[in-house]
Amino acid sequence: MEKNYHVCTGCGLLCDDIEVESENNIVNKVYTACRVGVAHMKEARRGEADFLVDNKPVDEATAISEAASILKNARNPLIFGLGTSTSETQKIAIELAKKINATLDDTSSFCLGPLAEALIQDKLKTCTLDDVRNKADVIIYWGTDPSDSHPRLLSKHSYFPRGTEKQRGWEEERTAIAIDVRKSHTAKICGNYFFQIPPKGDAEFIDAMIAGLSGKLPKTSYNYPPKKILELANILKGAKFGVMFVGRGLIYSLENLEPLFKLMEILNEKANFHLIPMVSSSNTMGFNENLFAETGYVNSVKFENGTAKHGPEYSVVESLKAKSVDAALIIGSDPLLFLPGSIAKNMLEIPVISMDHCETLTSKHSKVYINTAINGVEAGGSSIRMDRVKMSFEPVIETNHLSEEVILKKIMEAL
């Protein structure tokens, strides 16, 4: 009997081998998914859709009308979020931002955006997760703990599985290396190949690795044992298909990406190395690619009369900090929860429209809240996986909740 597989939109891996049992439009059982994926798929619930204005129930037309009125009357509205939205929704949000001269940004402006931009501009050598599974013999997890953030990365793609060119898998043909400031769950799996460095010690460690790769004596101000760095350099030089998974722990530690560019250059003079960013949300990479295709920038843009201006002053953090935005449309995100309190509190002074499939701190303090369908569970579409592979998906169950895509179209029509 042919099985019906679904795509899990719980993280940037977008695993496409998920089986689900449902009854009366409720997901009862989820097979193959990790604990993150199971929780995500089982979020689908529920009764009637919620439309709130000033935390009071209204009908759909009233909520749409109020949202459109806020955006129409704003001098400089902000549109933020979209990391879990489908590419179809993201493209409509870009058109909406152009129409109302909005500032448009997502979490990549303070996370992995510079790395995504470098990949889109072909400044770094990369590969797909399928290549990793089939070919990789040396894998580095740097400043990231996928065992917690992307639980199936090691089992489905990078370390444990047998691949077409790696039939004996992790026992004999793969070496996993963790470089981090703490002994994470992933670092424990890497065993003796865990290299613990001090916070903000990454740039020096990169310089030491480059020295080791170049046959020089590696040195760090924190006296990391040169013998261990030389041992690491020898492993990397022997890689036939190496992959570096880079997380926020490394990016936040570097002042810019130049040390990483230099390391990748040296590595590829000695071996064959690729880089994949550890994108957490299901379609952050899609937002970066879709916005780049439209404007030439991956985030932090301000539209004015059809043209896009770009700079850090148009990021969500700097826009709120400077109080330069006077209304906000938040889509699938909770900035009141994760932004610094001194900046997030400025959102309380402007009208906010929140679109989310669940109640959040931001939705509780919003002028308008529209309860949406869950992308990948209740709504279909497409997303870009963290290795830049496009994935399409159909809804798993039916719902009476509107998708983000439909809501944005209705707001556009009401403007």
Side-chain angles (χ1 to χ4, degrees):
M1 186 177 75
E2 184 178 351
K3 292 187 176 181
N4 189 19
Y5 293 110
H6 300 281
V7 173
C8 173
T9 51
C11 78
L13 286 181
L14 293 171
C15 294
D16 59 354
D17 56 351
I18 310 302
E19 293 180 73
V20 168
E21 287 184 9
S22 62
E23 185 176 4
N24 298 323
N25 282 325
I26 295 175
V27 176
N28 292 325
K29 294 182 179 179
V30 182
Y31 301 99
T32 317
C34 66
R35 61 188 183 281
V36 176
V38 171
H40 174 67
M41 303 293 278
K42 285 190 172 182
E43 278 186 292
R45 1 96 235 182
R46 54 204 172 151
E48 295 299 313
D50 293 326
F51 300 93
L52 305 178
V53 173
D54 293 325
N55 284 315
K56 295 177 182 175
V58 297
D59 59 19
E60 175 192 321
T62 301
I64 297 292
S65 175
E66 183 67 26
S69 177
I70 290 171
L71 296 176
K72 187 184 296 183
N73 293 324
R75 175 181 51 82
N76 182 23
L78 166 71
I79 300 178
F80 174 74
L82 294 157
T84 59
S85 301
T86 64
S87 289
E88 291 76 14
T89 299
Q90 293 170 350
K91 291 175 183 176
I92 296 173
I94 294 169
E95 288 305 308
L96 176 60
K98 288 173 68 176
K99 185 171 184 175
I100 61 176
N101 291 325
T103 296
L104 177 61
D105 195 25
D106 78 326
T107 56
S108 71
S109 64
F110 53 85
C111 292
L112 297 172
L115 200 53
E117 185 174 17
L119 289 166
I120 291 170
Q121 294 177 336
D122 294 325
K123 292 181 179 178
L124 290 166
K125 189 175 177 181
T126 188
C127 64
T128 68
L129 292 172
D130 305 283
D131 290 331
V132 178
R133 180 175 58 253
N134 289 325
K135 304 175 184 176
D137 57 348
V138 178
I139 305 139
I140 305 174
Y141 306 100
W142 198 326
T144 181
D145 181 15
S147 295
D148 282 342
S149 62
H150 302 66
R152 294 188 73 200
L153 178 65
L154 274 74
S155 61
K156 179 175 169 61
H157 295 289
S158 66
Y159 186 44
F160 294 114
R162 269 63 170 159
T164 54
E165 298 179 27
K166 290 287 169 268
Q167 293 290 323
R168 292 191 292 275
W170 66 279
E171 295 101 327
E172 299 179 39
E173 292 188 306
R174 300 193 202 270
T175 300
I177 297 161
I179 304 172
D180 212 330
V181 298
R182 64 189 176 88
K183 194 168 188 176
S184 65
H185 289 116
T186 301
K188 291 176 183 174
I189 292 171
C190 295
N192 293 331
Y193 297 117
F194 169 46
F195 297 82
Q196 186 167 13
I197 59 177
K200 303 295 285 184
D202 299 76
E204 276 194 60
F205 198 77
I206 288 175
D207 287 342
M209 284 176 63
I210 290 173
L213 289 165
S214 306
K216 300 175 183 176
L217 183 66
K219 297 178 181 176
T220 62
S221 65
Y222 43 86
N223 297 319
Y224 203 93
K227 187 177 178 181
K228 281 210 70 175
I229 297 176
L230 289 170
E231 178 190 2
L232 174 60
N234 284 331
I235 294 170
L236 302 188
K237 280 194 284 189
K240 293 180 180 175
F241 195 102
V243 184
M244 186 187 301
F245 289 98
V246 171
R248 279 177 282 179
L250 173 57
I251 299 303
Y252 285 169
S253 174
L254 301 177
E255 292 185 6
N256 57 61
L257 294 183
E258 288 305 318
L260 188 57
F261 290 157
K262 183 66 175 175
L263 176 61
M264 286 295 291
E265 179 185 339
I266 298 296
L267 279 173
N268 279 302
E269 289 175 358
K270 312 288 182 183
N272 177 24
F273 252 90
H274 312 77
L275 183 147
I276 296 178
M278 291 297 296
V279 177
S280 56
S281 295
S282 58
N283 202 22
T284 294
M285 187 61 80
F287 178 85
N288 295 145
E289 292 207 358
N290 289 322
L291 188 60
F292 187 85
E294 182 68 30
T295 68
Y297 308 112
V298 299
N299 53 36
S300 305
V301 299
K302 159 70 175 167
F303 287 100
E304 277 190 3
N305 301 320
T307 62
K309 297 193 293 186
H310 169 73
E313 66 271 30
Y314 305 121
S315 70
V316 63
V317 170
E318 295 302 324
S319 295
L320 289 172
K321 187 177 179 181
K323 298 186 177 182
S324 60
V325 292
D326 54 357
L329 170 59
I330 309 299
I331 304 171
S333 189
D334 192 7
L336 269 182
L337 179 70
F338 60 72
L339 288 179
S342 60
I343 294 170
K345 68 179 179 59
N346 292 342
M347 285 184 63
L348 303 177
E349 300 176 11
I350 60 176
V352 174
I353 306 151
S354 176
M355 292 168 48
D356 210 308
H357 65 264
C358 60
E359 185 180 81
T360 66
L361 188 59
T362 299
S363 73
K364 286 181 180 177
H365 290 83
S366 295
K367 176 74 175 177
V368 179
Y369 170 49
I370 301 176
N371 190 223
T372 62
I374 303 173
N375 293 313
V377 184
E378 298 170 322
S382 63
S383 295
I384 306 296
R385 208 166 64 178
M386 63 188 226
D387 59 347
R388 303 184 62 199
V389 172
K390 180 180 178 180
M391 305 290 288
S392 298
F393 43 83
E394 298 293 328
V396 178
I397 58 174
E398 296 179 355
T399 181
N400 57 13
H401 293 66
L402 299 179
S403 69
E404 294 173 344
E405 183 180 352
V406 169
I407 294 167
L408 286 186
K409 285 180 179 176
K410 287 177 178 285
I411 292 175
M412 288 275 276
E413 291 169 359
L415 282 168

